[in-house]
Amino acid sequence: MLITTRLKKRINKKIILGFNLIFLTSTSLATTELPGKGISVQPLQSTIGEETFQTLIVCKALEKLGYDVKSIEEVDYNVAYATIASGDATFMAVNWVPLHNVQYKAEGGDKTFYRKGTFVKNAVQGYLIDKKTAEKYHINNIAQLRDPKLAELFDSNGNGKADLTGCNPGWGCEKVINHQLKSYGLENTVEQNQGNYTAMMADTIARYREGNSIFYYTWTPYWVNDVLKPGKDVIWLQVPFSALNEDGEIDTQLPNGRNYGFPPSSMHIVANRIWAEKNPAAAALFAVMQLPVADINAQNMRMHAGKDSEEDIEHHANGWINAHQKTFDGWLNEARKAAKQKSASS
């Protein structure tokens, strides 16, 4: 009886130890595989629907790491930077450099925000006119529109000034365009039209299809460049000199000597610094993720063709991930590795 009792105690102890080992192992696996479990994330983007695709891919990667990702909220860029800086939101996947430098610095810059890696490289922006008008009147530089006769070619409302399809109020490009019009002496002959950019571009494209001259600002990646193809339908205008901002700190001239007023730009994932430092997995993820401009352009074009519902964009994001599963899994592995390293050192 004594032997049996001792044996039972040994067996029970082994069972308990075994359960503890299983529990600790499963907890360890959960911690390393799902380092974001129980942690909320609030993503932001602007009201530009075409930003949802890249934002959604970031959200899906965070979900795979266990984070509780809330629905994407749409706000003005200025509000986005202020909200992320205060900690009331987590990240935005469309921090443009250098276009958003003013907003970024105004809310504390690197002291407030976490920004590592480059999400999208070689984005382009600038001014374009239709190729037919450019070739007929030999226009290749925006400064030529100081000539009232040339400017009037792009007048769509009868006030004698060239109508430039510009940016939504509050966007970074709004200030740049106004600054450049002043710097290039164009305030008397060119007027930046502002409002809902998508609606204004729809009108611009309609006027082009009716055979009228057009003058507009745009960027890549964006669907407009698949509808009005540079080199075929429209041409990029150069500028007389660099004037990106009032400080004049950025030279926009390219190595080939051409100057389109904006340097090749990049987009970054910007997050609240305090939150990122507490979440090494997410921080590492933000640093390694990259999307090709061409892939975003292609998705944006599908939206322009009518595939622009929430379900459509969800399908586009899932399709991109499935087609690039190895790359996507590589991002997750880097994120989990960072979480493990943090855990081991603490």
Side-chain angles (χ1 to χ4, degrees):
M1 178 68 72
L2 183 60
I3 294 174
T4 305
T5 302
R6 286 177 178 175
L7 184 61
K8 284 181 178 179
K9 287 182 178 179
R10 287 178 183 174
I11 292 171
N12 288 338
K13 188 179 286 186
K14 287 182 178 180
I15 291 172
I16 291 169
L17 288 171
F19 277 128
N20 285 341
L21 182 61
I22 291 170
F23 175 76
L24 289 171
T25 301
S26 61
T27 302
S28 176
L29 285 172
T31 302
T32 55
E33 291 300 305
L34 300 172
K37 188 174 182 180
I39 301 171
S40 294
V41 173
Q42 179 58 66
L44 299 180
Q45 69 172 65
S46 81
T47 55
I48 301 173
E50 286 78 6
E51 291 180 356
T52 304
F53 174 65
Q54 56 261 49
T55 305
L56 199 54
I57 289 176
V58 180
C59 292
K60 289 180 178 294
L62 287 167
E63 287 174 347
K64 288 292 184 181
L65 295 172
Y67 288 95
D68 176 19
V69 183
K70 307 301 182 184
S71 298
I72 302 167
E73 289 189 2
E74 294 185 357
V75 295
D76 268 350
Y77 289 122
N78 291 335
V79 175
Y81 286 104
T83 308
I84 293 171
S86 69
D88 292 327
T90 312
F91 80 93
M92 177 172 66
V94 282
N95 162 238
W96 280 80
V97 175
L99 197 60
H100 292 179
N101 284 358
V102 172
Q103 294 99 319
Y104 185 83
K105 291 177 181 177
E107 296 298 336
D110 293 339
K111 292 181 180 179
T112 304
F113 300 110
Y114 171 85
R115 182 176 66 182
K116 301 289 183 183
T118 302
F119 192 31
V120 180
K121 296 180 178 179
N122 296 322
V124 178
Q125 55 194 311
Y127 308 102
L128 299 97
I129 62 172
D130 61 286
K131 189 177 180 182
K132 181 180 70 174
T133 304
E135 292 180 342
K136 182 176 180 179
Y137 294 94
H138 309 289
I139 303 170
N140 56 31
N141 194 299
I142 195 170
Q144 291 175 258
L145 299 186
R146 292 177 193 148
D147 182 342
K149 291 183 179 179
L150 291 180
E152 197 171 4
L153 297 171
F154 304 97
D155 177 16
S156 61
N157 59 15
N159 69 353
K161 289 186 176 183
D163 285 290
L164 166 63
T165 302
C167 295
N168 286 35
W171 286 7
C173 49
E174 173 199 18
K175 293 180 180 178
V176 173
I177 292 172
N178 286 333
H179 174 65
Q180 291 185 339
L181 293 181
K182 182 178 180 180
S183 299
Y184 303 145
L186 294 166
E187 289 182 302
N188 293 327
T189 56
V190 176
E191 184 172 61
Q192 177 184 188
N193 293 333
Q194 294 183 258
N196 181 287
Y197 182 81
T198 303
M200 290 192 300
M201 278 309 306
D203 179 65
T204 301
I205 292 167
R207 286 191 286 109
Y208 171 78
R209 288 174 174 166
E210 290 169 358
N212 297 314
S213 302
I214 57 170
F215 176 30
Y216 64 98
Y217 162 89
T218 199
W219 65 90
T220 64
Y222 198 58
W223 59 265
V224 166
N225 305 287
D226 281 327
V227 177
L228 298 173
K229 296 184 182 296
K232 178 184 176 183
D233 305 309
V234 293
I235 67 151
W236 294 93
L237 290 181
Q238 293 192 59
V239 298
F241 53 85
S242 299
L244 191 63
N245 54 44
E246 293 178 2
D247 299 331
E249 60 187 29
I250 298 175
D251 183 5
T252 56
Q253 183 169 307
L254 301 176
N256 62 10
R258 295 182 180 179
N259 193 338
Y260 296 101
F262 299 81
S265 302
S266 56
M267 277 189 276
H268 305 260
I269 301 169
V270 63
N272 177 276
R273 174 167 283 281
I274 294 174
W275 187 91
E277 289 174 348
K278 291 179 180 178
N279 289 274
L285 178 74
F286 295 159
V288 299
M289 291 188 76
Q290 286 191 9
L291 284 181
V293 167
D295 291 1
I296 301 174
N297 265 335
Q299 188 275 337
N300 287 181
M301 187 59 190
R302 292 167 77 182
M303 290 179 66
H304 179 65
K307 300 291 184 179
D308 58 354
S309 69
E310 289 185 14
E311 293 78 10
D312 288 330
I313 300 172
E314 181 91 17
H315 179 70
H316 300 160
N318 287 333
W320 189 94
I321 291 169
N322 290 337
H324 301 83
Q325 195 67 57
K326 186 176 179 179
T327 298
F328 187 79
D329 290 342
W331 297 338
L332 300 179
N333 290 337
E334 289 297 317
R336 292 180 179 123
K337 189 188 302 181
K340 290 178 185 177
Q341 291 172 347
K342 180 70 174 180
S343 179
S345 63
S346 60

